[in-house]
Amino acid sequence: MIETVLAILNRPSQHAEAHDPGADAFTFEGPIEPHVQVLDLGLVRGDGVFETLNVTDGRPQALEAHLDRLARSAAMLDLPAPDLDVWRRAVEAVVAELDPVREAYCKTVMSRGVEGDGRPTGYVYAAPAEEYTMPREQGIAVVTLDRGYRHDVARTSPWLLQGAKTLSYAVNMAALREAARRGADDALFVSTDGYVLEGPRSTLLLRRGDDLVTPRTDIGILAGTTQADVFTFAEDRGIATSYELVTLDDLRAADALWLVSSSRLAAPIRSVNGDVRDMDLELTAAMNTFLLDRTA
Ligand code: PLP
């Protein structure tokens, strides 16, 4: 049986009432018992935010970056600011309860709560990760999919919440199913005006010569915590890094490509729309060793 550990937050935000005044900041609960109300806006409207972080040998990775992004996403949705101290403690406590395992994942979920109640719902859960050896070592096939927005959508239409990590992931999951229908492992979103954006659950990295490039984060995409750490790794090794507007021509001209994310880490891209690409497996292995060795 897969072990899942769950903690429910009593007061996810200092700016809203506690669910149970006087009770602990969070409590461990049975993960298969019902806890969230059917009227919760996270459930009925996808109205909330979340994070998924990797846990290696019991260490939650990039925890501060994930907490910062949880707070940024919450602000974009006008949710009450999460009490990051409580969220941090809940993550650490949940992760400490997991059976020892090389890799696990931990999710933080904060919804607007039940309509009219004013108190957000918050919980943290963790479980062993799935097996990622194949995508990390043999690469992934991706297809490009039109996201249907221009690259400047975050500026022109902020209510579309592009760049926030919201609970409304139905579109992202539909894109993954479309990729599977086309025989691919993953998708890469492209803007209507021809800029390469991100995967439904990952950030694009390109190697151009000796340099690493990722799409600029002001184009309605999520600022990736894994990409940020890969850039730190690269800079430590003297590899130049940059944030750019990336076109489909840039994608074609790149020497190597990856999709990077918290759980799967760096997955080299072995084909784009059926065109076979060179993979830099040595650099991939070095990136993944670095990511798995993170202590914070
Ligand atoms: N872009 C999107 C849309 C995502 O959902 C994710 C991760 O879930 C990422 C990028 C990668 O972010 P991170 O590296 O912080 O996991």
Side-chain angles (χ1 to χ4, degrees), residues 8 26 28 69-70 97 101 115 120-121 134 155 168 182 187 205 211 216 221 232 247 251 263 281:
I8 309 254
F26 56 87
F28 288 112
R69 195 170 65 189
L70 187 75
E97 283 299 308
V101 59
E115 186 149 26
T121 299
M134 284 270 284
R155 185 171 53 77
S168 310
R182 297 183 189 195
L205 287 185
D211 302 353
R216 260 168 39 187
I221 65 173
T232 303
T247 63
L251 193 72
S263 298
L281 294 181

Side-chain angles (χ1 to χ4, degrees), residues 136-271:
R136 288 177 192 164
E137 295 185 358
Q138 296 181 23
I140 51 172
V142 308
V143 287
T144 53
L145 295 180
D146 183 353
R147 187 175 242 173
Y149 298 137
R150 287 186 320 271
H151 80 286
D152 56 354
V153 65
R155 185 171 53 77
T156 60
S157 316
W159 48 88
L160 292 178
L161 299 177
Q162 293 300 294
K165 198 163 169 67
T166 77
L167 291 173
S168 310
Y169 258 47
V171 166
N172 303 48
M173 303 319 281
L176 292 173
R177 290 194 301 276
E178 179 60 25
R181 269 192 290 274
R182 297 183 189 195
D185 304 304
D186 212 327
L188 185 53
F189 285 126
V190 179
S191 70
T192 50
D193 48 355
Y195 294 100
V196 185
L197 300 170
E198 62 184 346
R201 292 187 299 192
S202 55
T203 309
L204 176 71
L205 287 185
L206 306 84
R207 182 169 67 73
R208 201 176 46 206
D210 290 333
D211 302 353
L212 276 186
V213 179
T214 196
R216 260 168 39 187
T217 54
D218 61 344
I219 56 169
I221 65 173
L222 199 69
T225 62
T226 316
Q227 167 272 315
D229 281 345
V230 170
F231 270 24
T232 303
F233 151 88
E235 284 150 18
D236 287 351
R237 294 178 140 217
I239 300 172
T241 60
S242 58
Y243 293 83
E244 296 180 11
L245 283 177
V246 175
T247 63
L248 285 166
D249 282 345
D250 297 328
L251 193 72
R252 275 188 282 273
D255 295 306
L257 302 167
W258 294 265
L259 286 180
V260 303
S261 54
S262 293
S263 298
R264 196 172 58 186
L265 304 179
I269 294 180
R270 67 162 192 274
S271 69

